[in-house]
Amino acid sequence: MYLFKSVHQLNHFLKSFYSANQSIGFVPTMGALHQGHLSLMEASLAANDLSICSIFVNPTQFNESSDLEKYPRVPGLDIALLAEIGCDVLFMPPVTEIYPPGIQLASPIPPPSLINVMEGQFRPGHFEGVVQVVKRLLDITQPTRLYMGQKDYQQATIVQWMIENQKLPVELVVCPIEREKDGLAMSSRNVRLQAELRPIAATLYKTLEAVKIRLKADNIESLQHFAINQFRQAGLRPEYFEIINGYTLQPLSIIDTTDLVVACTAVWVGDVRLIDNMILQDPG
Ligand code: AMP
C-alpha cells in the first residue's frame, strides 16, 4: 500500500492511472476504521483498477471544537487494517494540504431543504463543511466511483445533489449499513460507549425494526410517538426521529406506495451521540 501525505505526491502517482483510463474508487473517511469503512473499501476493490482511501478529520464539519478534539485517532491501527484488506493507496493529508492558507475554495451551497433538516438542524454548518471537504477531495483524487455509507443517509443524499449540481464525472455508490451483532450501527464513536450503555444503545436498531413492521398499520404521527417513547423508556435521549421522503429529505405526513420512505434518527446515550436510519419502504 502506498501512503501519501501531500496532494502533489498523490497527483504525481495518479497521473499514469488517468492516462491509461484506469478506474479509480475512492473511500473518504475520518479514520478510526471499523468494518463499516472496510466494507466500502471492499466494494471499491471489487469494482475498480485502483482503490484510494483517505483519512482526514475535517475541522470544518465539526460545529463543536470539543467534538473535534475528542474524535478518536488511531493512525497505526488504520494503516494496518487497510494494508491487510489490500487497499492500494492511503491519502492522509495534514489540514494545510486540504486547506492551504490563502486558497479560496469554491464549494456549492446545497438548498436549505437538504442541509437545514435533521442533522443540519442540530449541527449548524455541518453539511457546508462536508460538501467543502468532499468537493476538495474529489478535485484532488478525480475518481471514477465514490463510496459512501447509507449510515450517513443525509450526507449521501447531499453529496449526490452536489455531484449532479456540479456535473461531476463520478458515480456515487452508497453501501449498506454494517452493524454489530446486537444491531448497533458500527461507528467510530462507539469506542466511547461504556459497556453498560451498549444494551441501551441497541434499542436504536430494535426500534427502527419495530417501526418498519408497524409501517402498514400505523400513521406517521403514532409511529413517531412510538419510537420516541421506546427511546426514552430505554434511557436514550432522542434529538429527532423523522420519517422522510428518501429523495427530498422532507418529512412525510402520509405514505404513498410509490414513496421511498426512510426513518432517520439521532439520540444521545450517555455523552455519545448516535445516528441511525432504516429504509422502511423502497418502491425500487
Ligand atoms: P466517517 O469516517 O464516519 O466519516 O465515515 C466514512 C464513511 O464510512 C462514510 O461514507 C460513512 O457513511 C461510512 N460508514 C460509517 N459507518 C458505517 C457503517 N456502519 N456501515 C457502512 N458505512 C459506514
Side-chain angles (χ1 to χ4, degrees):
M1 182 172 74
Y2 293 88
L3 168 60
F4 298 111
K5 296 199 170 184
S6 86
V7 174
H8 177 76
Q9 285 170 343
L10 178 65
N11 282 346
H12 184 72
F13 175 83
L14 291 177
K15 256 188 199 145
S16 61
F17 290 88
Y18 300 137
S19 47
N21 256 331
Q22 302 243 284
S23 61
I24 297 178
F26 175 48
V27 180
T29 81
M30 298 203 297
L33 303 179
H34 49 69
Q35 186 50 41
H37 298 112
L38 298 182
S39 71
L40 306 187
M41 182 44 71
E42 281 162 0
S44 174
L45 287 166
N48 298 284
D49 297 314
L50 184 85
S51 291
I52 308 172
C53 177
S54 67
I55 295 181
F56 179 65
V57 183
N58 174 35
T60 71
Q61 71 187 69
F62 285 80
N63 50 317
E64 282 188 24
S65 55
S66 65
D67 193 23
L68 174 62
E69 279 154 28
K70 279 191 285 182
Y71 202 85
R73 289 167 173 85
V74 284
L77 288 175
D78 289 344
I79 292 170
L81 282 171
L82 288 169
E84 195 184 320
I85 198 176
C87 171
D88 300 303
V89 174
L90 170 57
F91 180 45
M92 231 164 52
V95 175
T96 47
E97 282 292 306
I98 299 299
Y99 305 120
I103 277 213
Q104 283 289 330
L105 296 171
S107 34
I109 307 279
S113 60
L114 294 182
I115 58 170
N116 289 352
V117 295
M118 300 192 290
E119 286 302 285
Q121 199 183 338
F122 290 91
R123 303 181 67 188
H126 171 66
F127 287 117
E128 288 87 335
V130 168
V131 165
Q132 182 183 45
V133 77
V134 175
K135 174 73 168 54
R136 174 82 174 120
L137 288 169
L138 288 175
D139 286 346
I140 292 168
T141 54
Q142 294 174 48
T144 320
R145 298 185 186 88
L146 167 66
Y147 293 83
M148 301 190 92
Q150 185 203 315
K151 162 86 190 333
D152 298 276
Y153 191 93
Q154 187 171 6
Q155 169 174 282
T157 305
I158 290 169
V159 168
Q160 181 62 48
W161 172 89
M162 176 181 76
I163 288 170
E164 287 166 22
N165 176 269
Q166 300 286 293
K167 301 187 174 56
L168 302 178
V170 61
E171 176 195 350
L172 175 65
V173 181
V174 181
C175 299
I177 304 175
E178 291 284 323
R179 297 181 179 279
E180 305 285 356
K181 279 200 185 74
D182 61 4
L184 179 66
M186 289 182 180
S187 163
S188 306
R189 290 185 160 92
N190 291 355
V191 293
R192 294 183 35 226
L193 268 181
Q194 286 143 7
E196 65 267 27
L197 296 177
R198 274 300 299 268
I200 301 176
T203 316
L204 199 51
Y205 176 65
K206 292 196 181 92
T207 303
L208 286 167
E209 276 202 316
V211 166
K212 187 169 184 174
I213 290 165
R214 287 163 177 247
L215 187 70
K216 293 247 150 55
D218 274 348
N219 64 36
I220 296 221
E221 207 178 324
S222 56
L223 288 174
Q224 271 185 309
H225 281 140
F226 166 76
I228 297 283
N229 282 340
Q230 293 291 111
F231 293 156
R232 293 211 172 113
Q233 274 169 24
L236 297 170
R237 303 190 310 284
E239 262 185 1
Y240 65 83
F241 179 90
E242 301 278 7
I243 296 181
I244 57 155
N245 174 311
Y247 298 112
T248 65
L249 304 184
Q250 298 311 293
L252 288 165
S253 47
I254 45 164
I255 292 171
D256 192 277
T257 48
T258 58
D259 286 332
L260 173 62
V261 183
V262 187
C264 296
T265 185
V267 302
W268 286 89
V269 49
D271 67 347
V272 182
R273 187 174 185 275
L274 301 174
I275 61 168
D276 203 347
N277 67 80
M278 187 175 282
I279 296 173
L280 304 180
Q281 175 181 287
D282 186 354

